Amino acid sequence: GGGEAPPPPPQGEVTFERSQEQLRAMLYKRGPGGVRGLARAMAHVSRGTGQIDRTDLDTVLGFCGVAMTPDAVNSLFARYDQGQGVVDASAMVQGLRVPLSRAQERAVLAVFETLEDPTFKTGAVEMHEVIKRYQPGRHPRVVSGDMSESEAMRELELVQEDNNRLVSREREHAASMDSLADSNQRNITNLERERSQVESELNHERTKRNEVEERLKSSLDELNKLRAEAHARAQLEADVGSRLRQAHASIADAIQAQETQLSILAEVVPQLDMVHASLLTALASEPVPVAPEASFPPPQSAPGSVYQGEQNGRESASRNSYVPQEEYA
């Protein structure tokens, strides 16, 4: 009643399984030290933390001589990503190792315990101990007659030579990784120093900017004050101008009234002159009475008396009514 197995992915499609098998084949092609070299390179790059990011993974694969497409590396990284943009190096290395059967695992552990130093228990075995205890006559191909003991021994020696070359290469890689790490550390130190210098310059620029802003604020306040004074002065000038215009209008009205009065006077004066001329004509046409001459001078009156006043009045009237003789001709 089980369902059918899912169909295999299309040929050429990038999957995690294909990418991992490709990487495993490349590493094991380099011998037993392939996966171990990858683990050591990861340890160097991660500085012992065991956490590497996507860029570090490219660096490690490059040092191990592994060339894979970006999509294949992305599929590997996505599978082992812990959700924070980093992968656990030990989990990735463990996934690349070919799993052993239970019997193989027990056999390997038994051989390892036999070869390991029982006193110190270092967790490692020396290669010369392996070679010393190696019995080429018990090799399966020697037992079957397909290979001689010398050929089996030579095969082991070739494996040892390959292992030595891999160890030497791993040491070179480790030295290169250390050099790269030191270079990165120097670059980081230089960048930190440059960043501190830039931050100091930025702080200086911020201080100068704050000073300029304060000066601008003071200038703006002064400008607003001057604007307020100018507005008040303009308002005062407008009020004075309005009052001057009112005064000018009042003066113009007064001048116009005076001109009107002068015009009226100009019309009245000729009429008064005519009346005056008529009066003069009327006075000239009437005879002037002649008073009889007195035989004696009039009595002198005291100044201020009634008689003196009447006499002065008659003299004044006589003088005012004097008409030249030529007017009677």
Side-chain angles (χ1 to χ4, degrees):
E4 296 182 358
Q11 187 69 22
E13 181 181 353
V14 177
T15 62
F16 164 73
E17 289 76 12
R18 287 178 177 174
S19 300
Q20 181 165 262
E21 185 60 32
Q22 179 186 5
L23 178 58
R24 182 186 292 124
M26 290 181 180
L27 293 175
Y28 275 95
K29 188 177 181 180
R30 299 168 60 86
V35 177
R36 186 168 63 249
L38 179 69
R40 290 180 179 177
M42 287 183 173
H44 277 286
V45 169
S46 65
R47 289 290 184 178
T49 63
Q51 308 291 323
I52 61 174
D53 58 17
R54 179 66 176 78
T55 304
D56 293 336
L57 182 58
D58 287 336
T59 303
V60 169
L61 294 178
F63 271 103
C64 293
V66 175
M68 299 180 67
T69 63
D71 291 339
V73 179
N74 288 335
S75 65
L76 291 171
F77 191 87
R79 174 60 64 90
Y80 292 105
D81 187 3
Q82 298 178 337
Q84 298 178 351
V86 294
V87 298
D88 185 9
S90 60
M92 189 172 185
V93 171
Q94 186 64 31
L96 290 171
R97 297 186 186 278
V98 178
L100 300 176
S101 64
R102 297 288 297 178
Q104 290 174 335
E105 185 177 357
R106 285 195 297 269
V108 170
L109 291 176
V111 172
F112 190 86
E113 290 177 358
T114 302
L115 298 176
E116 185 183 16
D117 188 343
T119 304
F120 298 101
K121 293 289 184 180
T122 59
V125 296
E126 298 293 337
M127 193 63 187
H128 65 86
E129 290 291 336
V130 176
I131 296 176
K132 184 173 65 175
R133 299 192 183 192
Y134 181 64
Q135 298 178 6
R138 300 181 61 179
H139 194 287
R141 295 181 63 186
V142 174
V143 174
S144 64
D146 296 334
M147 180 186 294
S148 64
E149 292 186 8
S150 60
E151 291 176 342
M153 194 66 187
R154 179 57 183 165
E155 184 182 41
L156 179 61
E157 291 174 354
L158 292 175
V159 171
Q160 183 181 7
E161 291 175 0
D162 290 340
N163 184 71
N164 291 336
R165 284 195 297 271
L166 290 174
V167 170
S168 176
R169 187 178 300 173
E170 288 176 6
R171 289 174 180 172
E172 293 176 358
H173 287 173
S176 299
M177 295 297 294
D178 290 339
S179 176
L180 180 61
D182 293 339
S183 177
N184 289 338
Q185 186 62 38
R186 287 193 300 270
N187 292 335
I188 291 173
T189 302
N190 293 334
L191 289 175
E192 289 291 337
R193 183 169 58 253
E194 292 178 0
R195 186 183 68 177
S196 300
Q197 183 178 358
V198 170
E199 288 180 352
S200 177
E201 293 176 356
L202 287 176
N203 291 332
H204 181 66
E205 292 296 330
R206 290 192 188 99
T207 302
K208 292 176 62 178
R209 185 187 65 183
N210 293 334
E211 293 176 356
V212 171
E213 288 179 353
E214 288 295 330
R215 289 198 295 268
L216 288 176
K217 184 179 179 181
S218 300
S219 300
L220 184 60
D221 293 340
E222 187 67 22
L223 180 60
N224 291 332
K225 182 179 179 181
L226 292 176
R227 286 177 177 174
E229 293 178 356
H231 180 71
R233 184 175 299 173
Q235 187 67 31
L236 179 60
E237 291 177 355
D239 294 342
V240 171
S242 177
R243 293 178 182 178
L244 287 175
R245 285 191 295 272
Q246 293 177 359
H248 290 165
S250 300
I251 292 172
D253 293 341
I255 292 174
Q256 185 177 3
Q258 289 181 358
E259 290 178 351
T260 302
Q261 293 177 359
L262 290 175
S263 176
I264 294 173
L265 289 175
E267 295 177 356
V268 171
V269 167
Q271 296 177 2
L272 292 177
D273 291 340
M274 293 176 63
V275 171
H276 184 259
S278 299
L279 290 176
L280 291 178
T281 303
L283 290 175
S285 61
E286 293 181 359
V288 178
V290 178
E293 294 181 359
S295 58
F296 54 88
Q300 297 291 329
S301 300
S305 63
V306 176
Y307 178 80
Q308 181 67 35
E310 292 176 353
Q311 184 179 2
N312 292 337
R314 285 194 298 268
E315 292 177 356
S316 176
S318 176
R319 286 194 299 270
N320 291 334
S321 60
Y322 171 76
V323 179
Q325 293 297 325
E326 56 268 16
E327 292 183 1
Y328 293 98

